[in-house]
Amino acid sequence: MSARKLSRREFLVLSGSAAATSVLAACGAPSAPAPAAAPTQAPAKVEPTKPPAAAAPAGKYKEAPMLAELVKAGKLPPVDQRLPDNPLVVKPVEKVGKYGGTWRTALKGAGDNAWLMRTIGYDFLTRWNREWTEISPNLAESWTVNADASEYTFKLRKGVKWSDGKPFGADDVVFFFTDVLNNKDLTAAPGNQYKADGKVCTAVKVDDNTVTIKFAAPQGLFLQQITSNGNGQEITTYQAAYAKQFHKTYADPAKLDALIKEAKVETWIQLFQTKVQTPPGSSMQARWANLEMPVLNAWVLTAPYLAKDPVKAVRNPYYWKVDTAGNQLPYIDNIFYDFIEDVQVMALKAAAGEIDMMDRSLNTNTNKPIFVDSAQKANLGFFEEIPAGMNVMCISLNLSVKDKQKNAIFNDLNFRIGLSYAINRKELIDVLWVGQGEPYQCAPRPTSPYYNEKLAKQYTEYDVKKANEYLDKVLPKKDGDGFRLMPDGNRLVILFEISNAPNKEWAEAGPMLQKYWKAAGVDIQPKVVDRALMYTHKDANEIEMNCWAGDGGLDVMMESRWYFPFSTESQYAVGWYYYWIKDARAVEPPAAAKKQQELYDQLKATGDTKKQDELMKQILQISQEQFWVIGVSLQPTGYGIVKNNFKNVPKSMPTAWNYPNPAPYDPPQFFFES
């Protein structure tokens, strides 16, 4: 990413502010100029999308030898019968690949299903193109949007099949919207991407391959939201024919009761969640554990994602994409996800040549020298990652914490300012991030058109005297050890939960931060916990303090978690987010946070990009004034590792939650060159 400030025209996709079918952005490789942007369109002018320029190759398609053998044995239909009428044609990054091999990679502990999504799960209705400059056709080969962005009609790719060979179509999409999203037993709090004017959208089947999504009011960000990681996956997750056997509306009562008993659950709701949705008390989607569940992905799991055991996947014979030579994808036969809880062990395996390609968990600054030293022996190379993130570590006090005394303390702006001044950011950066970065709060990156210098740089000075001045305004009394006392006379002790993944630097930062804050009289106790446990505590609003990476440095509108209570990823105020979506776990936010949520509702309800810009800047201004979260350092350029014989991986790619790299670069076209 160059240092110049991005123009409004270049930045439309990254900010999520266009509602047209061609959306613009700027996040290309730094070594080349940004691709030319297309003219901006408001929703009222959206034209029907067109299929990709590359047409399906003429003649018979080709397939992997392992599938050809199954066809020959009569165990599988011919490849032409397995592919849709108009397969999506994927252009290889370097060249047409070869079939075969097992991709060796890894999962960090029990809560790393995001790496599964990024490698084999990004098969949504729409997709980001590789440059992150527009929304491209995927399972939907085209779509139209009405004048006020309240209706979206998708034309599905005809002839696509699930991994069990059954057809995918409008019935599957409608099932999700009607029987899952709009079923309060299964979806207590639908995501904001599915709402307008407080009402959840509905789906109408037009024909077998066409479906219309209807909102009660304009929803100007819907396309961007369902194209981004996490937001659009549910729409193409449920095969109606399979899921209905677990759904009370459709299942035979006697058979349903038998399945409930067999699964050792108590209700049909728990059964449905366990089999096709998300099991109760878990953040793990059922599709990563239930091997019977049909999928639309390039690889199908053969060993589930369970604690301690590796995850395995094999090519899907019904995958609906081909390369430019008419070869059915994927090229690679199998994927092996080793289960590794220790990042250092993961790094040593990679350095020994036992990981073929990966850009998650192990790609820390401290690990890079290990990979450089072993590169020749391990036949290892690197690719560059251009971050959309803005901070290496966002530190969150839970402003919706249930404890009344701590709630009042945490919500005092002076307390947060005092903690921020007490942090020696330069020392943290030098020791933990090998000098890469600069003191920075949780704010849009300098190249963003939404850059707010005061938000980015306020209170980043290391000044213990100032820290104490601000903290004295909140808790002036101290005990014999110099720690601050709460109004009830007890010492303020804050449990600081730090996830064990994906970054080990957070755990190492814990004791250093504890030392800085002790100097200001605040007793904060860092505790490293399993990522899945931390998420359970966070979602239940049971955390006092925690940390995470700073997403939303470029994709500001689409990823606003750190700027206002935007999602359950807004770790500093999950209870306030629940208030916004009217969840039973709600904690009423202060007026400033309510105002931000109202502004974002207005932003979503318009397709006017200028108005969206104005509203987003108002949200950021409030964020600057309220200083919800404490940042450490601006996120530097990252890297991934790749074996030299593992081909079609680009030299550089964007990286973000909303751009779930490497997925937009099509892992099905990765291959091994012998």
Side-chain angles (χ1 to χ4, degrees):
M1 181 73 65
S2 62
R4 67 182 178 85
K5 193 162 186 172
L6 303 178
S7 70
R8 161 68 179 154
R9 186 182 183 191
E10 291 172 311
F11 209 76
L12 285 174
V13 161
L14 293 184
S15 66
S17 57
T21 55
S22 291
V23 190
L24 315 177
C27 199
S31 57
T40 304
Q41 290 189 45
K45 299 180 181 180
V46 171
E47 298 294 332
T49 55
K50 298 178 180 179
K60 281 195 172 183
Y61 297 105
K62 293 170 281 250
E63 62 189 347
M66 63 184 292
L67 299 183
E69 289 297 319
L70 293 174
V71 173
K72 186 177 179 181
K75 297 180 180 179
L76 197 65
V79 62
D80 286 19
Q81 295 178 22
R82 302 196 310 267
L83 285 166
D85 295 2
N86 178 28
L88 192 149
V89 180
V90 175
K91 183 179 180 181
V93 169
E94 300 171 85
K95 57 186 176 181
V96 171
K98 301 175 182 178
Y99 287 120
T102 296
W103 174 4
R104 298 167 300 169
T105 183
L107 297 169
K108 173 66 180 71
D112 196 18
N113 55 334
W115 185 234
L116 288 171
M117 165 62 72
R118 290 171 180 265
T119 50
I120 66 176
Y122 188 58
D123 287 294
F124 300 178
L125 288 179
T126 52
R127 56 181 282 123
W128 292 117
N129 71 343
R130 292 173 179 174
E131 296 77 23
W132 207 3
T133 56
E134 65 180 19
I135 294 173
S136 298
N138 206 42
L139 281 162
E141 63 182 7
S142 65
W143 57 88
T144 56
V145 186
N146 71 344
D148 68 351
S150 64
E151 291 189 7
Y152 295 76
T153 298
F154 296 92
K155 186 70 175 178
L156 306 178
R157 203 172 292 276
K158 186 178 179 181
V160 169
K161 295 177 178 63
W162 293 88
S163 55
D164 62 358
K166 293 181 180 178
F168 164 76
D171 288 334
D172 300 305
V173 175
V174 170
F175 175 82
F176 162 69
F177 281 96
T178 303
D179 297 295
V180 181
L181 183 68
N182 278 285
N183 185 305
K184 292 183 180 180
D185 289 329
L186 297 175
T187 309
N192 280 327
Q193 69 269 28
Y194 299 124
K195 290 181 178 179
D197 196 26
K199 299 180 178 66
V200 181
C201 62
T202 58
V204 176
K205 177 181 176 180
V206 178
D207 60 40
D208 287 347
N209 297 290
T210 309
V211 62
T212 297
I213 312 303
K214 296 185 176 185
F215 290 89
Q219 215 292 34
L221 298 178
F222 182 61
L223 278 176
Q224 293 91 326
Q225 289 172 326
I226 67 166
T227 304
S228 299
N229 193 13
N231 289 329
Q233 59 185 303
E234 292 181 307
I235 300 174
T236 55
T237 292
Y238 300 94
Q239 184 197 85
Y242 178 78
K244 284 181 178 180
Q245 66 180 310
F246 311 115
H247 200 292
K248 185 177 181 180
T249 302
Y250 302 98
D252 175 88
K255 292 181 179 178
L256 188 60
D257 286 343
L259 289 171
I260 291 170
K261 291 177 182 177
E262 182 183 338
K264 298 180 181 179
V265 295
E266 296 180 358
T267 67
W268 78 268
I269 299 166
Q270 294 173 337
L271 176 69
F272 189 91
Q273 292 169 336
T274 300
K275 292 294 185 180
V276 293
Q277 197 177 21
T278 303
S282 171
S283 60
M284 182 69 64
Q285 297 163 357
R287 64 168 165 163
W288 304 129
N290 179 11
L291 302 184
E292 296 178 351
M293 188 172 170
V295 297
L296 295 165
N297 308 136
W299 292 274
V300 181
L301 296 193
T302 58
Y305 192 6
L306 303 172
K308 305 298 182 185
D309 296 322
V311 176
K312 301 175 184 178
V314 65
R315 68 166 67 251
N316 175 6
Y318 291 94
Y319 196 54
W320 42 278
K321 297 181 184 180
V322 299
D323 68 13
T324 50
N327 298 298
Q328 185 190 26
L329 297 173
Y331 294 133
I332 293 174
D333 292 337
N334 307 286
I335 306 181
F336 177 83
Y337 298 89
D338 205 353
F339 188 100
I340 305 174
E341 295 181 303
D342 189 326
V343 172
Q344 194 63 29
V345 172
M346 192 182 293
L348 292 174
K349 277 184 170 287
E354 297 175 20
I355 289 179
D356 297 304
M357 183 273 184
M358 193 164 181
D359 69 343
R360 185 173 172 84
S361 299
L362 52 66
N363 57 340
T364 64
N365 288 322
T366 52
N367 279 342
K368 193 167 186 179
I370 298 174
F371 302 139
V372 171
D373 291 344
S374 61
Q376 185 172 356
K377 183 178 180 180
N379 194 30
L380 197 63
F382 300 91
F383 56 92
E384 181 184 56
E385 295 193 326
I386 311 301
M390 46 73 176
N391 211 292
V392 298
M393 186 178 186
C394 295
I395 302 167
S396 308
L397 289 161
N398 183 2
L399 305 182
S400 62
V401 69
K402 297 172 185 177
D403 184 291
K404 291 184 179 180
Q405 276 198 112
K406 290 181 177 179
N407 188 292
I409 294 166
F410 296 173
N411 275 279
D412 192 315
L413 176 60
N414 293 309
F415 187 75
R416 301 193 295 277
I417 293 173
L419 290 183
S420 185
Y421 274 131
I423 299 172
N424 187 339
R425 289 174 172 81
K426 186 178 186 304
E427 184 175 63
L428 283 171
I429 293 167
D430 288 345
V431 172
L432 302 181
W433 285 280
V434 294
Q436 300 298 304
E438 63 180 82
Y440 208 79
Q441 297 290 9
C442 298
R445 292 184 71 90
T447 52
S448 165
Y450 298 106
Y451 177 63
N452 180 318
E453 184 175 8
K454 189 171 183 180
L455 174 59
K457 291 295 184 177
Q458 63 185 353
Y459 320 128
T460 55
E461 177 187 357
Y462 176 48
D463 191 323
V464 179
K465 182 180 178 181
K466 278 187 179 180
N468 278 294
E469 288 175 358
Y470 277 94
L471 292 168
D472 284 344
K473 297 177 184 179
V474 188
L475 300 175
K477 296 181 180 180
K478 298 180 181 179
D479 63 16
D481 296 321
F483 287 108
R484 298 183 183 275
L485 301 176
M486 296 187 293
D488 67 357
N490 291 312
R491 179 190 292 187
L492 171 65
V493 180
I494 303 172
L495 178 61
F496 182 16
E497 290 193 35
I498 302 173
S499 170
N500 65 345
N503 299 317
K504 74 180 184 65
E505 288 88 354
W506 299 341
E508 295 172 351
M512 296 176 70
L513 289 164
Q514 183 182 36
K515 178 188 71 174
Y516 303 148
W517 288 323
K518 180 180 180 180
V522 182
D523 188 353
I524 294 180
Q525 297 293 321
K527 181 181 180 181
V528 178
V529 299
D530 181 78
R531 174 179 175 168
L533 179 62
M534 187 277 287
Y535 258 78
T536 298
H537 290 170
K538 171 185 68 70
D539 291 344
N541 196 29
E542 294 175 349
I543 275 179
E544 293 185 344
M545 187 180 201
N546 70 341
C547 64
W548 201 253
D551 297 271
L554 293 179
D555 47 341
V556 177
M557 279 191 194
M558 287 296 298
E559 182 50 274
S560 299
R561 66 173 74 176
W562 298 113
Y563 308 132
F564 77 99
F566 169 79
S567 71
T568 56
E569 298 299 329
S570 299
Q571 299 181 1
Y572 55 95
V574 170
W576 295 356
Y577 167 70
Y578 290 148
Y579 180 89
W580 189 29
I581 64 172
K582 298 179 174 59
D583 186 279
R585 298 165 288 181
V587 175
E588 185 171 0
K594 286 182 182 177
K595 180 63 176 178
Q596 289 180 305
Q597 292 171 340
E598 290 169 4
L599 290 169
Y600 197 79
D601 285 337
Q602 295 174 33
L603 186 155
K604 286 201 311 176
T606 179
D608 184 330
T609 57
K610 289 184 179 179
K611 187 174 181 180
Q612 287 179 334
D613 280 347
E614 293 170 2
L615 292 166
M616 191 68 232
K617 288 176 181 177
Q618 289 181 52
I619 291 171
L620 291 169
Q621 180 59 32
I622 295 173
S623 182
Q624 179 261 304
E625 294 166 358
Q626 297 300 317
F627 187 50
W628 303 125
V629 187
I630 300 169
V632 172
S633 173
L634 183 66
Q635 188 173 333
T637 298
Y639 70 94
I641 60 166
V642 59
K643 297 290 288 292
N644 293 325
N645 68 331
F646 194 89
K647 298 298 183 178
N648 279 347
V649 177
K651 294 180 179 179
S652 179
M653 70 175 78
T655 177
W657 171 250
N658 282 322
Y659 177 94
N661 56 293
Y665 268 91
D666 302 289
Q669 58 89 48
F670 295 164
F671 76 99
F672 289 97
E673 187 170 66
S674 54

